[in-house]
Amino acid sequence: MHRRTRTGDDAWLVTGHDDVRRLLDGDRLGRAHINPGEAARSNESALFGGPLGNYATEKSDHRRMRSLLQPHFSPRAMRAFRHRVDALTSGLLADLAQQSQPADLNAHLALLLPILVICELLGVPYEDREQFRAWTHAAADIRHRTRSEQGLTDLFTYGQQLVAGKRARPART
């Protein structure tokens, strides 16, 4: 079904399970674009709104990242991490119970839990997590492209600092 995105670009809406599965399993979809300036955008987010990455190296970059990350996301590793996700969820639900009624499940759980889980996986120190969350929200901003680009830049810069710190002090979490 032909549609237009929020930014007015042409788009296709695919809803049938078999069609979606075929697209996801095939080579036609990706995050990069051969000419990013002419690519359709769904919104103004630098992170989610349009193309991201290098078109020429997207497949090899994906394979490399997958091979690096796969051991950390194995079924065994995820089972071991489950208790931590349960604890994070319980903490957020306890905080939610303290909110005035009606409480906003989206703001107090759905948006926060994935960021907290990512912080745990990356080893983001507790004192940096509020700033990490702010950068993540900025990067995902679907209305303000400049804010989104700055948030993505801040996250990338922080990630580089985090990696450098872990390389300098590998035993530290």
Side-chain angles (χ1 to χ4, degrees):
M1 177 181 316
H2 186 257
R3 297 279 190 223
R4 291 210 178 268
T5 68
R6 288 180 195 218
T7 58
D9 291 322
D10 287 331
W12 288 93
L13 176 63
V14 181
T15 59
H17 180 269
D18 291 341
D19 293 334
V20 170
R21 192 78 252 158
R22 226 179 346 273
L23 283 171
L24 292 175
D25 288 341
D27 290 336
R28 293 182 58 197
L29 296 182
R31 284 299 316 264
H33 191 277
I34 197 161
N35 189 350
E38 293 182 12
R41 296 194 57 80
S42 60
N43 59 61
E44 293 300 327
S45 172
L47 183 59
F48 300 121
L52 189 65
N54 183 323
Y55 182 79
T57 63
E58 180 175 28
K59 286 183 174 66
S60 61
D61 291 345
H62 179 78
R63 278 191 302 275
R64 182 176 56 82
M65 289 302 294
R66 189 175 174 119
S67 70
L68 289 171
L69 294 173
Q70 199 162 20
H72 303 284
F73 291 93
S74 69
R76 183 179 185 183
M78 291 296 96
R79 278 192 301 276
F81 190 61
R82 180 179 179 170
H83 76 281
R84 188 64 196 131
V85 175
D86 288 346
L88 291 169
T89 305
S90 294
L92 290 173
L93 288 172
D95 292 344
L96 180 66
Q98 301 302 314
Q99 301 298 316
S100 61
Q101 302 299 319
D104 186 342
L105 186 65
N106 189 52
H108 295 285
L109 181 72
L111 292 175
L112 293 179
L113 183 60
I115 294 170
L116 289 176
V117 169
I118 290 168
C119 285
E120 290 283 322
L121 290 169
L122 296 177
V124 173
Y126 287 100
E127 62 271 14
D128 293 349
R129 291 184 180 194
E130 185 58 34
Q131 183 60 66
F132 189 91
R133 184 186 65 76
W135 290 329
T136 302
H137 283 290
D141 191 313
I142 64 171
R143 292 184 180 92
H144 302 98
R145 177 78 179 189
T146 303
R147 179 173 184 257
S148 179
E149 288 171 343
Q150 185 61 55
L152 193 56
T153 297
D154 292 338
L155 281 170
F156 184 77
T157 301
Y158 180 78
Q160 289 177 312
Q161 294 167 355
L162 197 61
V163 168
K166 289 185 181 298
R167 284 184 176 153
R169 295 173 303 285
R172 194 169 173 218
T173 54

